[in-house]
């Protein structure tokens, strides 16, 4: 079967040629020739052309200024190549659309009615987080997205833009702007900056895309689809390890979200008012519309025979009043008449529905609400007045200190931290049954306690202002006991978000985050004990579901790739009967990162690989850093990725189990054995090898990454060099830069090598979605890693004995993983069965190698004490460029 490879992608050639023209025009012919020489020699070496490995690479002759220009050039080529790939749909999953999914389910005997029944209680939420893995400035992303829009116009055969510019000239202009745009941030991002970045995606993409997707799904189902897919956010509410997130930042995040979504509604209603020019002289008008028209008190004489316009004038006026009430600001285009603010989004939806029903009932439904009005109604259902549900998150250790201080100040218990678990639970339950508050306006509290109380009180204020849907989840990081969850309820009670009674009520759900391997193993017992509490049982049953978050990042850092993957699956499976026994629907929140070492890879494949019975139509997934721009940077990519998540959720919830019980038993036993062996190998290297921390910190650019200013959070949870205290993002990011990618494969080779029944492994690779996805993701990591380049990074380690010992183990482990993977998947080389992905990665490799080599030389100079600012800038530029070329960072 013939296929066009990435290397032959005409977009790559076209954009690459334009970039060359820009470099020549702005950098000069000499710079262009130097860059072109380095590029060509690197490509020749990658292709294995005879003698190319002995050819001068040209890197040594670059001055510092030339080095900065060269790195920018290669970074921009990678960015443009990424754009070309996205347009070609390289990363899109085949059949990952709802129409195909419905056809697939129908073959399995599952009709549309069963799908609708599932969707009536379904919830799918991509949750945007501010985890610092996006190395590119927003300005760079904006220029890239504009190029994508212009390329889409070329696809239509157009020569000019709407403004009359020649499209090719406009593309060249955007590339020239990219070349002249500063790549590096000079100031560290603040929480408000992160809020505004997320808002740009929610405003420019989600608000447009989700209503359009629902229209598509309505057509596929032949009926109106329940509004089950909604956006979420952590940005402004995630305080775990981030001292800069407080009540003020949460207030700002919520207010800006409300301002954004209300501004969108106002512009849509204004446009509808211009469109619906229906006159009573030419049409009978529904009494409901006439009532809205009269209630508007619109005095415009030219509109007296146009009840739809007058009705929409009243809706617009009420929206303007709502805008003032919720944001404290006048809208950009104030109303000319007075209106009462809406008490909640349902009131706005109902008035819009009156107009929609009236249009549908006349003229045989020719003006029914499938157009702009229908999309607006869908938007109100999906986004409310809050735009995206904001989660709160904090570490359990903080809650323990805060609750301990509250109990001590109130004279209830002087040493809460000294109590055992049973005593803590008994004490907390007594407090939750009492209407008495622990806080007093006359008591003094520590800064930490005062800040945490301010957060929950701000959440209560937000509920009163924007509605309960603005904040519904409170995630407890490092949850290891029932008391960790009850402490949150005690704090919520201080703000009126938990109220005792028969039954008690909790307006915000406490959610345990199980992160380490031990936490995942202990999760079922904790949840069983949690549901056994009568007050929790009542709350959970009234809500109908309970969420549990499982963390990919820290479980990987703790136990390695294979063990993390398997323990997450086992933990999910073990939780299912606990929830079934409790009579509560389970909702899993998957804390995935962008890289494979943090749960990255195809969301579609990941959801399909979930254990049977663990999705049930409800799933939330974090979207972090560079993944947000990649998935939701343009309307087209957002449509593709959101539909893939929705489709996978339907399949995972409704499709019959693919594994026969006897196969599942055999495969699970094999995976237990593999996981144990991989865990021992990984822990033996990372946590049990003397000097490993020193090796890691000297070999990788972990210290230099801190200078990127890519997020508001510190890199470590504590002031410590220990790997245990290092956040997973810089851990993964550092290994990626050094081309080792260790978190995405180490330990697997030892496990595959020791497993005797290779035939069973091949069966698992062919017939078990979880094992397939695990190997597929690892194969991509191995293809992007390069032990030859990694050896250059290892040379940065000062102790030769330490360097040779540890790097030798890493290199041998990589080879064992490589050989074991090929044996299990029956391939002669990596990605043999994935030619398009293979071509994509091979296109990049010649552009990454020179960047790595330059980065190493600059790191040597920097660590030797050279203080030329261009050296530091060069390192940061190279980190940015390598991350762009690899298409992931942390």
């Amino acid at each position: 079967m013939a296929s066009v490879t990435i290397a032959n992608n005409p977009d790559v050639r076209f954009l690459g040629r334009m970039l060359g023209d820009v470099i020549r025009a702005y950098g000069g012919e000499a710079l262009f020739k130097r860059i072109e020489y380095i590029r060509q020699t690197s490509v020749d070496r990658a292709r294995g052309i005879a003698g190319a490995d002995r050819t001068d690479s040209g890197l040594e002759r670059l001055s510092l200024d030339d080095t900065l220009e060269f790195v920018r050039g290669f970074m921009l080529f990678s960015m443009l190549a990424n754009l070309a790939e996205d347009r070609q749909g390289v990363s899109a999953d085949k059949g990952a659309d709802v129409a195909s999914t419905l056809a697939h389910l129908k073959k399995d005997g599952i009709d549309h009615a069963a799908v609708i029944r599932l969707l009536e209680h379904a919830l799918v939420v991509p949750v945007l987080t501010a985890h610092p893995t996006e190395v590119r400035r927003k300005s760079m992303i904006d220029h890239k997205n504009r190029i994508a829009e212009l390329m889409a116009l070329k696809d239509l055969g157009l020569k000019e833009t709407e403004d009359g510019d020649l499209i090719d000239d406009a593309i060249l202009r955007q590339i020239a702007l990219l070349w002249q745009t500063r790549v590096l941030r000079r100031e560290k991002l603040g929480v408000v900056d992160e809020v505004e970045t997320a808002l740009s995606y929610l405003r420019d993409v989600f608000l447009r895309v989700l209503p359009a997707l629902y229209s598509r799904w309505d057509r596929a189902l032949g009926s109106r689809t329940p509004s089950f897919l909604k956006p979420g956010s952590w940005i402004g509410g995630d305080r775990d390890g981030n001292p800069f997130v407080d009540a003020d930042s949460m207030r700002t995040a919520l207010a800006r979200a409300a301002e954004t979504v209300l501004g969108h509604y106002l512009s849509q209603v204004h446009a509808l008012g211009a469109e619906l020019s229906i006159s009573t002289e030419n049409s009978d008008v529904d009494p409901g519309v006439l009532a809205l028209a009269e209630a508007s008190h619109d005095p415009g004489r030219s509109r007296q025979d146009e009840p739809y316009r007058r009705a929409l004038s009243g809706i617009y006026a009420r929206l303007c009043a709502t805008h003032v009430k919720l944001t404290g600001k006048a809208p950009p285009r104030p109303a000319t008449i007075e209106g009462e603010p809406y008490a909640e989004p349902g009131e706005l939806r109902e008035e819009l529905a009156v107009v929609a029903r009236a249009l549908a009932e006349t003229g045989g439904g020719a003006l029914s609400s499938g157009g702009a009005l229908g999309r607006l109604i869908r938007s109100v259902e999906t986004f409310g007045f809050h735009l995206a549900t904001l989660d709160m998150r904090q570490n359990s250790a903080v809650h323990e200190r805060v609750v301990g201080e509250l109990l001590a100040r109130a004279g209830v218990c002087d040493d809460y931290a000294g109590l055992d678990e049973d005593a803590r639970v008994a004490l907390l339950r007594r407090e939750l049954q009492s209407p008495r508050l622990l806080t007093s306006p006359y008591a003094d509290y520590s800064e930490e306690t005062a800040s945490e109380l301010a957060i929950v009180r701000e959440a209560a204020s937000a509920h009163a202002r924007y509605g309960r849907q603005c904040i519904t989840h409170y995630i407890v990081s490092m949850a290891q006991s029932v008391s960790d969850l009850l402490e949150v309820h005690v704090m919520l009670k201080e703000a009126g978000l938990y109220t005792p009674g028969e039954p008690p009520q909790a307006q915000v759900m406490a959610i345990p985050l199980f992160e380490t391997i031990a936490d995942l193993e202990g999760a079922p017992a904790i949840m069983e004990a949690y549901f056994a509490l009568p007050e929790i049982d009542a709350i959970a049953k009234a809500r109908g579901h309970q969420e549990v978050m499982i963390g990919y990042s820290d479980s990987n850092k703790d136990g390695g790739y294979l063990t993390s993957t398997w323990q997450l699956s086992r933990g999910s499976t073990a939780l299912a009967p606990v929830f079934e026994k409790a009579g509560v629907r389970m909702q899993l929140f998957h804390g995935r990162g962008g890289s494979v070492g943090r749960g990255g890879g195809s969301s579609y494949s990941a959801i399909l690989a979930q254990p049977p019975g663990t999705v049930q139509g409800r799933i939330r997934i974090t979207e972090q850093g560079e993944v947000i721009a990649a998935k939701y940077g343009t309307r087209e990519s957002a449509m593709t990725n959101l539909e893939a998540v929705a489709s996978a959720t339907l399949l995972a919830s409704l499709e019959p189990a693919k594994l026969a019980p006897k196969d599942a038993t055999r495969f699970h036993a094999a995976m237990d054995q593999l996981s144990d062996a991989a865990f021992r190998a990984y822990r033996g290297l990372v946590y049990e090898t003397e000097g490993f921390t020193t090796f890691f910190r000297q070999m990788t650019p972990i210290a230099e990454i801190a200078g990127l200013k890519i997020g508001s959070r510190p890199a470590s949870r504590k002031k410590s060099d220990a790997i245990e205290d290092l956040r997973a993002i810089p851990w993964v990011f550092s290994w990626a830069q050094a081309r080792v990618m260790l978190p995405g494969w180490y330990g697997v080779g030892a496990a595959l090598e020791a497993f005797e029944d290779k035939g069973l492994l091949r069966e698992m690779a062919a017939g078990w979605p979880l094992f397939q996805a695990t190997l597929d993701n690892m194969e991509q990591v191995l293809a992007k890693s390069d032990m030859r380049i990694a050896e250059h990074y290892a040379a940065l380690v000062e102790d030769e004995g330490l360097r040779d010992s540890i790097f030798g183990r890493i290199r041998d482990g990589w080879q064992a993983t490589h050989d074991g993977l090929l044996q299990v998947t029956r391939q002669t080389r990596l990605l043999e069965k994935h030619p398009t992905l293979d071509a994509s990665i091979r296109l990049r490799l010649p552009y990454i190698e020179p960047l790595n080599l330059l980065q190493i030389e600059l790191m040597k100079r920097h660590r030797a004490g050279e203080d030329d600012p261009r050296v530091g800038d060069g390192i940061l530029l190279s980190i940015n460029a390598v991350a762009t070329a690899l298409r992931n960072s942390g």
Side-chain angles (χ1 to χ4, degrees):
M1 188 176 90
S3 65
V4 180
T5 66
I6 292 296
N8 293 325
N9 184 339
D11 286 356
V12 172
R13 295 197 304 272
F14 171 75
L15 294 171
R17 185 173 64 251
M18 283 203 163
L19 176 60
D21 291 342
V22 165
I23 293 173
R24 186 184 287 111
Y26 288 92
E29 188 69 26
L31 175 65
F32 172 77
K33 286 183 176 178
R34 280 194 291 273
I35 291 177
E36 181 58 21
Y37 178 80
I38 296 169
R39 186 195 71 81
Q40 191 58 57
T41 55
S42 186
V43 168
D44 289 346
R45 281 195 301 277
R47 290 176 176 172
I49 294 176
D53 58 338
R54 296 188 296 276
T55 303
D56 171 25
S57 69
L59 294 175
E60 294 78 7
R61 296 195 301 276
L62 292 176
S63 67
L64 267 178
D65 287 334
D66 287 345
T67 295
L68 299 182
E69 302 284 52
F70 165 78
V71 172
R72 282 200 302 131
F74 268 36
M75 183 204 67
L76 291 181
F77 175 81
S78 296
M79 180 183 284
L80 295 173
N82 293 347
L83 185 156
E85 276 191 6
D86 292 339
R87 283 171 42 75
Q88 198 181 51
V90 170
S91 60
D93 296 285
K94 306 304 178 189
D97 61 273
V98 168
S100 298
T101 296
L102 292 175
H104 182 95
L105 290 172
K106 188 174 182 180
K107 289 181 181 178
D108 289 330
I110 299 164
D111 60 16
H112 287 9
V115 174
I116 291 292
R117 285 196 298 273
L118 176 80
L119 292 180
E120 285 172 349
H121 65 255
L123 181 70
V124 177
V125 183
V127 181
L128 308 185
T129 81
H131 286 12
T133 62
E134 175 57 84
V135 295
R136 298 166 300 173
R137 291 178 61 210
K138 185 65 166 54
S139 298
M140 304 285 289
I141 297 171
D142 289 342
H143 289 308
K144 186 210 78 169
N145 290 343
R146 179 56 182 153
I147 294 170
E149 293 170 0
L150 292 165
M151 293 292 285
L153 295 179
K154 277 178 70 73
D155 294 342
L156 298 174
L158 301 176
K159 301 294 184 183
E160 296 181 358
T161 67
E162 288 183 356
D163 299 323
D165 295 331
L166 291 174
I167 291 176
D168 284 6
D169 290 349
I171 293 172
L172 184 68
R173 181 174 182 273
Q174 291 299 317
I175 295 176
L177 287 169
L178 273 173
W179 177 254
Q180 296 179 95
T181 297
R182 173 169 44 83
V183 176
L184 300 174
R185 296 184 180 94
R186 297 301 183 202
E187 302 294 332
K188 188 175 179 68
L189 282 175
V191 179
V192 174
D193 299 317
E194 293 167 337
V195 167
E196 291 300 327
T197 297
L199 281 177
S200 69
Y201 291 103
L202 292 166
R203 177 187 62 243
D204 301 336
V205 178
F206 281 81
L207 278 170
R208 295 170 56 203
V209 163
L210 276 176
L213 273 177
Y214 279 117
S215 295
R216 179 189 294 178
W217 299 339
D218 290 349
R219 293 190 295 271
L221 279 166
S223 60
R224 196 168 192 276
T225 311
S227 297
F228 70 97
L229 200 160
K230 303 178 180 183
S233 175
W234 275 12
I235 307 171
D238 176 15
R239 317 190 295 293
D240 183 15
N242 191 340
F244 306 109
V245 175
D246 55 18
D248 287 340
S249 62
M250 190 163 81
R251 186 182 307 113
T252 298
L254 291 163
R256 287 289 293 118
E259 186 177 352
T260 298
V261 74
L262 288 170
H264 175 75
Y265 295 161
L266 284 166
S267 66
Q268 296 300 302
V269 172
H270 181 76
L272 282 168
E275 180 184 63
L276 295 181
S277 55
I278 300 168
S279 170
T280 52
E281 295 179 6
N282 299 317
S283 174
D284 293 329
V285 178
D286 181 85
V289 173
L290 290 174
L292 286 175
E294 290 302 314
S296 72
H297 302 296
D298 182 352
R301 297 183 62 184
S302 64
R303 293 186 293 275
Q304 290 310 297
D305 67 326
E306 297 172 340
Y308 284 92
R309 279 182 165 168
R310 287 193 291 131
L312 289 166
S313 292
I315 292 172
Y316 188 90
R318 295 195 68 184
L319 269 173
C320 285
T322 307
H323 190 287
V324 172
K325 175 186 174 184
L326 297 187
T327 71
K329 301 177 183 178
R333 185 191 289 115
T336 57
I337 57 177
E338 297 293 322
E340 287 292 320
Y342 291 107
E344 47 92 24
E347 287 188 1
L348 169 60
R349 187 203 178 283
E350 182 51 38
E351 291 193 351
L352 293 170
V354 168
V355 177
R357 286 192 294 267
L359 291 171
E361 290 169 1
T362 59
L367 294 175
S368 61
S369 61
L373 179 55
R375 290 191 294 274
L376 178 56
I377 291 171
R378 179 69 77 173
S379 293
V380 176
E381 287 181 6
T382 305
F383 304 107
F385 291 159
H386 60 280
L387 183 57
T389 299
L390 181 67
D391 289 359
M392 295 189 288
R393 182 171 79 129
Q394 183 55 283
N395 195 287
S396 61
V398 175
H399 300 143
E400 179 184 310
R401 292 193 296 268
V402 168
V403 170
E405 183 175 344
L406 292 177
L407 292 168
R409 293 284 189 276
V412 176
C413 176
D414 290 334
D415 186 18
Y416 173 73
L419 300 179
D420 63 23
E421 174 64 8
D422 288 345
R424 287 189 184 194
V425 169
L427 173 57
L428 295 172
R429 290 186 66 199
R430 286 197 298 272
E431 288 303 318
L432 290 174
Q433 291 164 6
S434 169
R436 169 186 52 80
L437 298 181
L438 291 171
T439 51
S440 166
Y442 307 108
D444 292 326
Y445 298 100
S446 66
E447 183 179 347
E448 179 179 64
T449 295
S451 178
E452 293 300 309
L453 289 173
I455 281 278
V456 293
R457 286 166 179 160
E458 184 58 40
S461 296
H463 273 209
R465 193 177 306 120
Y466 308 112
R468 291 187 178 184
Q469 288 303 306
C470 69
I471 297 175
T472 56
H473 302 88
Y474 193 130
I475 294 137
V476 184
S477 298
M478 300 303 291
Q480 298 172 334
S481 64
V482 171
S483 64
D484 287 339
L485 298 174
L486 296 180
E487 286 163 3
V488 170
H489 286 105
V490 168
M491 292 170 60
L492 292 172
K493 177 170 165 264
E494 295 300 306
L497 294 175
Y498 180 100
T499 51
E502 294 294 338
Q505 294 183 350
Q507 295 178 30
V508 175
M509 176 168 45
I511 298 164
L513 167 50
F514 299 114
E515 300 178 82
T516 66
I517 301 301
D519 292 345
L520 290 166
E521 291 174 342
I526 291 172
M527 294 310 298
E528 186 170 14
Y530 188 57
F531 287 138
L533 303 178
E535 56 271 43
I536 299 303
D537 177 68
I539 290 169
K541 282 190 167 67
R543 186 188 298 119
H545 69 276
Q546 168 67 42
E547 182 169 286
V548 169
M549 185 174 185
I550 50 178
Y552 290 67
S553 303
D554 283 292
S555 61
N556 179 288
K557 186 162 71 73
D558 182 41
Y561 173 61
L562 190 67
T563 301
S564 169
T565 300
W566 182 227
Q567 289 298 335
L568 287 162
S569 180
R570 284 188 62 183
S572 302
T573 302
L575 282 167
V578 173
F579 278 74
E580 186 176 359
K581 179 183 175 182
V584 177
R585 190 176 293 114
M586 181 168 70
Q587 178 172 301
L588 289 179
F589 185 9
H590 296 260
R592 290 161 49 91
S595 62
V596 168
R598 295 184 54 243
S602 163
S603 296
Y604 182 76
S605 298
I607 295 172
L608 292 182
Q610 294 305 305
T614 62
V615 177
Q616 302 176 18
R618 304 185 72 90
I619 190 168
R620 297 207 303 152
I621 303 174
T622 54
E623 301 284 28
Q624 307 178 7
E626 79 278 10
V627 172
I628 296 175
K631 288 186 175 182
Y632 309 115
T634 66
R635 181 180 186 275
E636 291 72 24
S637 62
M639 293 279 280
T640 298
N641 285 288
L642 290 170
E643 182 148 33
V645 171
S647 301
T649 302
L650 291 177
L651 284 172
S653 303
L654 295 171
E655 192 177 29
K658 290 188 176 181
L659 280 185
K662 64 177 182 178
D663 288 335
T665 300
R666 291 189 303 131
F667 292 175
H668 291 183
M671 198 64 162
D672 282 339
Q673 186 176 334
L674 290 169
S675 174
D676 288 346
F679 181 78
R680 288 193 300 271
Y682 176 85
R683 294 286 301 188
L685 175 72
V686 175
Y687 294 103
E688 297 165 13
T689 298
E690 186 175 353
F692 184 83
T693 300
T694 299
F695 173 89
F696 162 66
R697 290 190 174 274
Q698 291 183 3
M699 176 184 173
T700 72
I702 175 66
E704 288 78 7
I705 284 171
L708 275 174
K709 300 180 175 64
I710 57 176
S712 63
R713 287 201 316 179
S716 290
R717 288 186 170 90
K718 303 175 184 176
K719 292 183 178 179
S720 160
D721 285 340
I723 290 172
E724 291 89 338
D725 297 326
L726 181 68
R727 288 194 177 278
I729 289 169
W731 165 253
V732 172
F733 201 162
S734 302
W735 287 117
Q737 287 287 308
R739 301 297 298 285
V740 179
M741 315 279 190
L742 183 138
W745 59 266
Y746 194 83
V748 182
L752 295 176
E753 201 170 50
F755 197 87
E756 294 182 0
D757 191 348
K758 303 298 195 263
L760 175 57
L761 295 180
R762 284 191 282 269
E763 279 188 68
M764 293 161 62
W768 188 15
L770 174 66
F771 202 56
Q772 289 170 350
T774 301
L775 295 182
D776 283 349
N777 288 334
M778 188 176 74
E779 189 172 2
Q780 292 184 47
V781 171
L782 292 173
K784 290 181 179 181
S785 60
D786 189 319
M787 289 299 108
R788 184 175 52 84
I789 293 175
E791 191 168 7
H792 290 284
Y793 281 91
L796 295 170
V797 178
E798 296 168 4
D799 185 323
E800 184 177 351
L802 182 68
R803 174 179 70 224
D804 293 345
S805 172
I806 294 180
F807 186 71
R809 290 171 65 182
I810 291 173
R811 184 177 51 222
D812 292 346
W814 185 92
Q815 194 63 52
T817 306
H818 169 274
D819 295 347
L821 174 76
L822 295 185
Q823 186 178 24
V824 170
T825 58
R826 298 179 184 272
Q827 297 180 106
T828 60
R829 59 179 175 80
L830 294 175
L831 299 177
E832 182 179 2
K833 295 180 180 179
H834 306 280
T836 303
L837 181 58
D838 181 43
S840 166
I841 292 175
R842 286 176 182 272
L843 171 69
R844 283 170 167 67
L845 295 182
Y847 295 85
I848 306 175
E849 179 178 346
L851 295 170
N852 286 127
L853 297 177
L854 281 173
Q855 183 182 99
I856 292 166
E857 289 306 310
L858 291 168
M859 286 168 64
K860 287 179 182 177
R861 294 168 66 169
H862 180 68
R863 292 178 180 185
E866 191 167 336
D867 59 2
D868 189 319
R870 292 174 297 176
V871 173
D873 282 350
I875 294 172
L876 299 182
L877 274 172
S878 69
I879 292 171
N880 192 305
V882 170
T884 300
L886 290 173
R887 298 215 73 170
N888 58 50
S889 44

